[in-house]
Amino acid sequence: MNAENRATAARNLCARMQSVQDPVIPIVGEMVRDNPGTISLGQGVVYYGPPENVYRGIEAFRPDPENHKYKLVQGIPDLLQAIQGKLSLENGIEVDARNRVVVTAGGNMGFMNAILAITDPGDEVILPLPYYFNHEMAITIAGCTPRIVPTDETYQLLPDRIRDAITDKTRAVVTISPNNPSGAVYPEEDLRAVNELCRARGIYHISDEAYEYFTYENARVFSPGSIDGAGEHTVSLYSLSKAFGFASWRVGYMVIPESLLDPVKKIQDTNLICPPVICQYAAVKALEAGRPYCIEKRAEIEDNRLIALRELSRLSSGVTVGPAQGAFYILLKIDTDQHPVDLVRNLVAQHKVAVIPGNAFGVEDTCCLRVAYGALRRDSAKEGIGRLVSGLEQLLG
Ligand SMILES: Cc1ncc(COP(=O)(O)O)c(C=O)c1O
């Protein structure tokens, strides 16, 4: 592109998109590609793929020529039924006259559907800090303002601070438990407090439960959508990406108040028409394999977690290791003047290990790094963590 074309392109970028942060994963991905042999503790994926029986789902899809046509916006009936059974059994969420399930092409699409359905440009959505960058980006893309609220020193919610941040423009409070990027799992009591606050103030509680199967030791997940009467103001988001090694298959689902069904269908019809039907057939089978599939695969991730916690604890007192109760992330808080992006660049270039800089999650006043330990087999994870620890020891002097 020559200078004149570049200038025209810059002029044509709308202000709304210019205010959206660049997604960080591809930036770190480029650093990794430029430094062959780098072990990535960056991307939030699992090391395993889907259960074998999903291919039986694909066989079931094949014979019917009708399956190649557009299907229902909301999802195929067999998958909706399987999801409702799972929600009732595992999450305590009953789908009745007051709420609906919509299958989406992943959890991110569920979040975007929710934001577009409940906001007007100029509205505010509350995000506890650190936030998941795609949530912040979706809110900005919708022309709304993310209202960032601090958490405590172990990244737990501060319901009073959330209450104080609610204004006339607030449309929702977002919680993610188990949390990306902090690894915190929120206790039932706090999620109930946030949900009640949302009910009382006439706003929505968006509860992202993408990591519901990834908890460790005594941590327990709680679905706010299961609270009596919560169905009318709670949006619960789920994903098959992590639990079933389904990241590229793009299947997730949302539970929404009945009143949001029409707006969500308009949005999803426009963006997607219907979630890919072949993947929905596969998803029915993944849900048949269910939670036990994930729990079995999770064992190796639990080992990685223990290795990471043991090795990271060797670092000096200038590095605070986050709670690691859930998901597959550990957030490191580092007492240094270095910018996290520079630190990551040096870790990749000099020590061949990649992590994600904390500024991507909105942490600006401290140098934070997110370590993801779900994507690697045990030996590579061990090697990667070893490189991270010795790299930090050297770079932090
Ligand atoms: C909290 C959270 N929600 C949603 C997603 C997106 O998942 P999906 O692949 O289902 O879009 C992620 C992915 O990292 C995530 O961390």
Side-chain angles (χ1 to χ4, degrees), residues 294-335:
C294 176
I295 301 307
E296 188 200 321
K297 297 288 180 191
R298 199 184 70 180
E300 196 157 333
I301 294 180
E302 290 179 48
D303 288 349
N304 292 350
R305 170 181 173 272
L306 290 177
I307 293 167
L309 287 175
R310 188 185 65 220
E311 295 300 309
L312 290 166
S313 70
R314 292 183 9 221
L315 287 164
S316 74
S317 59
V319 179
T320 310
V321 180
Q325 298 160 309
F328 28 76
Y329 305 113
I330 302 175
L331 202 58
L332 302 179
K333 202 183 285 180
I334 299 171
D335 188 8

Side-chain angles (χ1 to χ4, degrees), residues 44 106-108 132 135 176 180 208 210-211 239 241-242 247 250-251 329:
N108 272 7
Y132 168 48
H135 284 173
I176 309 171
N180 175 14
D208 185 328
Y211 299 92
S239 168
S241 294
K242 320 287 171 177
R250 310 309 304 139
V251 182
Y329 305 113

Side-chain angles (χ1 to χ4, degrees), residues 200-361:
R201 300 296 293 266
I203 61 177
Y204 292 96
H205 181 180
I206 303 178
S207 170
D208 185 328
E209 300 171 32
Y211 299 92
E212 61 178 334
Y213 292 160
F214 296 90
T215 55
Y216 313 104
E217 297 170 15
N218 299 326
R220 293 277 169 276
V221 289
F222 175 71
S223 299
S226 67
I227 298 170
D228 243 8
E232 281 157 49
H233 63 276
T234 307
V235 173
S236 307
L237 302 178
Y238 298 92
S239 168
L240 274 69
S241 294
K242 320 287 171 177
F244 297 103
F246 238 60
S248 75
W249 298 62
R250 310 309 304 139
V251 182
Y253 51 100
M254 57 197 308
V255 187
I256 54 175
E258 197 278 332
S259 56
L260 291 183
L261 183 63
D262 281 347
V264 164
K265 278 166 82 172
K266 287 183 200 172
I267 298 157
Q268 184 147 296
D269 185 42
T270 304
N271 278 331
L272 187 68
I273 300 186
C274 63
V277 174
I278 191 166
C279 297
Q280 294 190 67
Y281 270 75
V284 171
K285 295 293 171 192
L287 290 187
E288 251 173 54
R291 187 182 160 87
Y293 176 73
C294 176
I295 301 307
E296 188 200 321
K297 297 288 180 191
R298 199 184 70 180
E300 196 157 333
I301 294 180
E302 290 179 48
D303 288 349
N304 292 350
R305 170 181 173 272
L306 290 177
I307 293 167
L309 287 175
R310 188 185 65 220
E311 295 300 309
L312 290 166
S313 70
R314 292 183 9 221
L315 287 164
S316 74
S317 59
V319 179
T320 310
V321 180
Q325 298 160 309
F328 28 76
Y329 305 113
I330 302 175
L331 202 58
L332 302 179
K333 202 183 285 180
I334 299 171
D335 188 8
T336 172
D337 291 337
Q338 293 183 56
H339 193 277
V341 175
D342 295 334
L343 195 51
V344 170
R345 208 180 296 286
N346 288 333
L347 281 167
V348 175
Q350 297 170 29
H351 300 277
K352 299 236 182 295
V353 62
V355 290
I356 303 294
N359 54 308
F361 310 101

Side-chain angles (χ1 to χ4, degrees), residues 55-69:
Y55 300 104
R56 289 216 311 278
I58 289 173
E59 286 306 313
F61 166 89
R62 268 177 75 161
D64 187 351
E66 288 298 308
N67 279 338
H68 301 291
K69 299 179 180 164

